[in-house]
Amino acid sequence: MPTTHTQTLQTRKLGKSNLEVSALGLGCMGMSFSYGPPKDKKEMTDLLHAAVDRGITFFDTAEVYGPFTNEELLGEALSPIRKQVVIATKFGFDLSGSDHRPGAAAVNSQPAHIKQAVEGSLKRLKIETIDLLYQHRVDPNVPIEDVAGAVKELIQAGKVKHFGLSEAGVKTIRRSHAVQPVTALQSEYSLWWRKPEAEVLPTLEELGIGLVPYSPLGKGFLTGKIDESAKFDSTDFRSKLPRFTPEALKANQAVVDLLGKIAKEKGATPAQIALAWLLAQKPWIVPIPGTTKLSRLDENIGSLEIKLTADDLREINAAAEKITVEGDRYPENLQKMTGL
């Protein structure tokens, strides 16, 4: 069990919702799914407790991670300290088939399916209310108004507190927000994926919606620990991503070199600069770097101590603008499921 002497970290509010969370959350997917074989349950439980001890209050999971096993892990580890934490999970995939590789399951956001998914998540997480419930991917076959309406009913029933969207485009965000206010958008955002800056960030600012960047360290690339000779196991979904081919990794090394240069000046690591850069963009941004190692958790938390000046940010932006990032972030079948 985690001790009650938890440190306090800086907190941030996600949009106008007043959902207050630690300024960095913890993405839990890799503990059970996607980055190679599932990790040891006891080790991951200890890591979750260590995160709580260090002041992290925001934990991110989804029914599709495993499927189901990641929610079960969090349920066992965090339900005894339920009042100290904010748990976010996601619905939106049809898990009745046998193929649960990332992106293999079909989307399903039919209102009846959402309600069924929520009952399952509540049970696995051993909680009575989901703090933040995201639609995992936009379902082109279900009007977003119907999705938002179903979540609104779940909020009225006391089963959910806040509604979120993941990888949605601005039209979807506006349409759903009109039915049930959206608390947060989860989206990939980092120094090597800056597309949200064009339309998404201004829309979120206008509507008072928080942003939760996933893969804020570029799926590990921005830590500086991956180069063109990297080999990925077939159970690691990076082995299928265009951006992780040897050619793309070589071309994109310039982004890591830039982070390394700033890191040296600040006595920090490239990962810490990548996170500090994100945190400096807007006060309502809460990145959720994932890790399975205590040393990385501590390194990520250290990013909260780094202050990037306006000059630092200008230097990073000027250098980053000269770098062309190579490779799509997803293969075509997964790319279709983003930004509708």
Side-chain angles (χ1 to χ4, degrees), residues 167-197:
E167 285 283 352
V170 291
K171 288 193 182 76
T172 302
I173 295 166
R174 287 186 185 281
R175 284 170 53 197
S176 52
H177 191 69
V179 176
Q180 168 59 44
V182 176
T183 293
L185 174 78
Q186 184 170 125
S187 206
E188 184 167 352
Y189 180 37
S190 69
L191 259 176
W192 81 331
W193 177 254
R194 297 181 65 175
K195 195 178 172 193
E197 292 173 349

Side-chain angles (χ1 to χ4, degrees), residues 248-271:
L249 289 171
K250 187 176 182 180
N252 296 331
Q253 192 59 39
V255 184
V256 176
D257 295 344
L258 165 64
L259 288 169
K261 176 177 169 290
I262 309 273
K264 260 204 189 81
E265 293 165 13
K266 297 278 178 191
T269 67

Side-chain angles (χ1 to χ4, degrees), residues 4 18 25 47 49 55 61 65-66 92-93 128 147 158 161 175 186 201 237 255 268 279 287 295 317 338:
T4 48
N18 289 334
L47 183 67
H49 289 171
T61 183
Y65 300 161
F93 286 107
E128 288 172 11
V147 175
K161 284 187 188 158
R175 284 170 53 197
Q186 184 170 125
L201 262 65
F237 83 131
V255 184
L279 289 160
S295 60
N317 281 337
T338 62

